[in-house]
Amino acid sequence: MLLTRNPEEAPAQARLFNVAVVGATGAVGAEVVACLERRNFPVRDLRLLASPRSAGRAMTYAGAPVTVEAISPDSFKGVDVAIFAATSDIARTYAPYAMEAGATVIDNSAAFRMANDIPLVVPEVNGGVLASAPRLIANPNCVAAIAVMALWPLHQRARVVRLIGSTYQAASGAGAAAMEELRLSTQAWLAGEAYPPQVMAHPYAFNLFSHDQPIEPDSGYNKEELKVMAELRKIMALPSLAVSFTCIRVPVLRAHAMALTVEFETPVSPLDAETWLSEAPGVRVVNNVAANHFPMPSEASGRDEVLAGRFRRDLSDPSGRTLSMFLAGDQLLKGAALNAVQIAEGLVR
Ligand SMILES: NC(=O)c1ccc[n+]([C@@H]2O[C@H](COP(=O)([O-])OP(=O)(O)OC[C@H]3O[C@@H](n4cnc5c(N)ncnc54)[C@H](OP(=O)(O)O)[C@@H]3O)[C@@H](O)[C@H]2O)c1
């Protein structure tokens, strides 16, 4: 169903846009809908699409119910902006229909991220590419989007040459069903009951494990790690950046955390990093050394900003060019929905 806002509610000259959200019932899609509303995106009509399982379900936008429709090739008639938050297969199948119908597509899946002719955008880093009005824009992997928010402002001052990261990734990164598995398996564990894993490959309550994506035999890295590494190189336009990640799933409901060790061309002190990041858009420094208070998923959840702190020289590099830090960011927001809506804002601006 299309939700039509009363045109009188909008300022006289403001252009309004017909927006479709594909995967609106999922963890990311629901946040896309919330971000569109919270950020007052100039929506005329909102079309919420999902699988046939969700057809007929009511969601709420701007205080009004919107009925979810099953996606079909005809879903995009009259749509200006289509934000996809479903699987890569759905994106590959339906993005061409959306573009054929005249929509600009912003896709959260991995389907198009590494295609040479498709921009992979974090607006604070490379939002300039939106000026050329691309018809299809890829939204990065959640770890890449969060990491680059802190890396880019430092890179602009001291040039990053090598990066080693370890992640502590929340259930929400694997979607709504994984969040439910964490809740249910934790309840079962506390009740002393068995809970055979259904979504994750391993028991999730009070446990952590290597990211659930398959391992690539040649390199020994899993697909999540390889995505993060390749996408960081692409977003930062540093094709030969030396980068390595270890991605771990932890029993946190929402918001990813990560430890980054970054080698720069020139020395960067902890104070430099704190100062530069406190001036960076979309980053909030949380670095209360006396209180041992640094970025935490609980404080990053539901927040737009990426939290950065625990800046310290890496003592294994006496040159002073290597710095360690810790980040936490809501991967449903900056790592997915918020970034997608910021891209849409950049397109219609
Ligand atoms: N979660 C994150 O933090 C995150 C971050 C960055 C990128 N992403 C990417 O964003 C996408 C969505 O992730 P998610 O975590 O939101 O997953 P999710 O919670 O599992 O939601 C998936 C959504 O896709 C819809 N869908 C599934 N099969 C469909 C079909 N055959 N036709 C139409 N719609 C279908 C689902 O609809 P039903 O409810 O009807 O099944 C649901 O709305 C994925 O590509 C993911 O890789 C996720």
Side-chain angles (χ1 to χ4, degrees):
M1 182 185 117
L2 285 175
L3 171 78
T4 304
R5 264 193 181 171
N6 179 356
E8 286 166 21
E9 284 173 10
Q13 318 83 332
R15 187 171 164 209
L16 299 176
F17 298 86
N18 298 335
V19 179
V21 180
V22 178
T25 52
V28 174
E31 290 295 340
V32 169
V33 174
C35 281
L36 288 168
E37 180 175 343
R38 176 165 60 86
R39 295 172 69 85
N40 221 0
F41 190 84
V43 173
R44 181 193 297 115
D45 296 322
L46 182 66
R47 176 163 281 172
L48 302 184
L49 303 167
S51 79
R53 292 179 291 275
S54 304
R57 181 177 149 188
M59 293 180 69
T60 304
Y61 177 78
V66 186
T67 306
V68 176
E69 297 170 54
I71 195 168
S72 83
D74 301 326
S75 296
F76 302 94
K77 199 167 167 224
V79 168
D80 299 303
V81 180
I83 302 181
F84 278 62
T87 61
S88 293
D89 285 348
I90 293 293
R92 283 194 201 95
T93 305
Y94 289 99
Y97 290 116
M99 289 192 290
E100 210 175 284
T104 298
V105 170
I106 301 163
D107 179 40
N108 277 283
S109 83
F112 307 111
R113 288 178 190 154
M114 293 312 297
N116 282 337
D117 52 342
I118 294 175
L120 180 64
V121 175
V122 172
E124 290 85 348
V125 178
N126 59 352
V129 303
L130 300 174
S132 66
R135 299 292 312 288
L136 173 54
I137 302 107
N139 209 34
N141 167 281
C142 43
V143 172
I146 291 168
V148 82
M149 289 295 289
L151 290 169
W152 186 247
L154 304 180
H155 174 70
Q156 285 175 300
R157 262 85 164 204
R159 304 210 57 87
V160 175
V161 294
R162 183 164 181 244
L163 165 67
I164 296 174
S166 298
T167 69
Y168 307 75
Q169 295 180 229
S172 50
M179 296 171 81
E180 190 60 4
E181 177 142 314
L182 178 55
R183 281 191 204 95
L184 295 176
S185 62
T186 303
Q187 281 165 4
W189 195 95
L190 291 171
E193 294 163 5
Y195 187 94
Q198 286 154 36
V199 179
M200 294 307 202
H202 305 288
Y204 204 2
F206 302 99
N207 190 24
L208 56 82
F209 41 85
S210 183
H211 195 282
D212 24 288
Q213 293 262 314
I215 303 277
E216 189 202 58
D218 289 348
S219 66
Y221 283 79
N222 64 44
K223 270 178 80 179
E224 176 82 352
E225 292 158 350
L226 293 169
K227 271 192 263 184
V228 173
M229 289 148 61
E231 291 181 26
L232 280 172
R233 291 191 188 106
K234 179 168 175 178
I235 301 163
M236 295 175 76
L238 294 174
S240 49
L241 176 69
V243 50
S244 177
F245 263 77
T246 302
C247 290
I248 302 294
R249 187 75 73 187
V250 298
V252 165
L253 210 48
R254 180 167 171 158
H256 289 351
M258 63 194 77
L260 302 183
T261 294
V262 195
E263 183 183 334
F264 297 93
E265 242 172 52
T266 53
V268 174
S269 73
L271 184 59
D272 289 336
E274 178 160 0
T275 307
W276 297 339
L277 288 178
S278 61
E279 295 161 2
V283 179
R284 183 179 180 83
V285 168
V286 178
N287 196 44
N288 186 339
V289 174
N292 226 321
H293 186 167
F294 300 111
M296 291 184 275
S298 60
E299 293 184 350
S301 289
R303 290 188 74 124
D304 286 353
E305 302 101 327
V306 168
L307 310 183
R310 269 245 56 210
F311 309 110
R312 61 202 189 281
R313 271 188 211 286
D314 177 343
L315 295 179
S316 71
D317 176 5
S319 75
R321 291 184 300 108
T322 305
L323 184 97
S324 290
M325 61 182 167
F326 197 72
L327 310 179
D330 189 324
Q331 93 300 332
L332 289 175
L333 291 175
K334 189 59 199 173
L338 169 66
N339 199 67
V341 171
Q342 286 177 310
I343 291 171
E345 290 168 350
L347 288 167
V348 305
R349 201 169 285 138

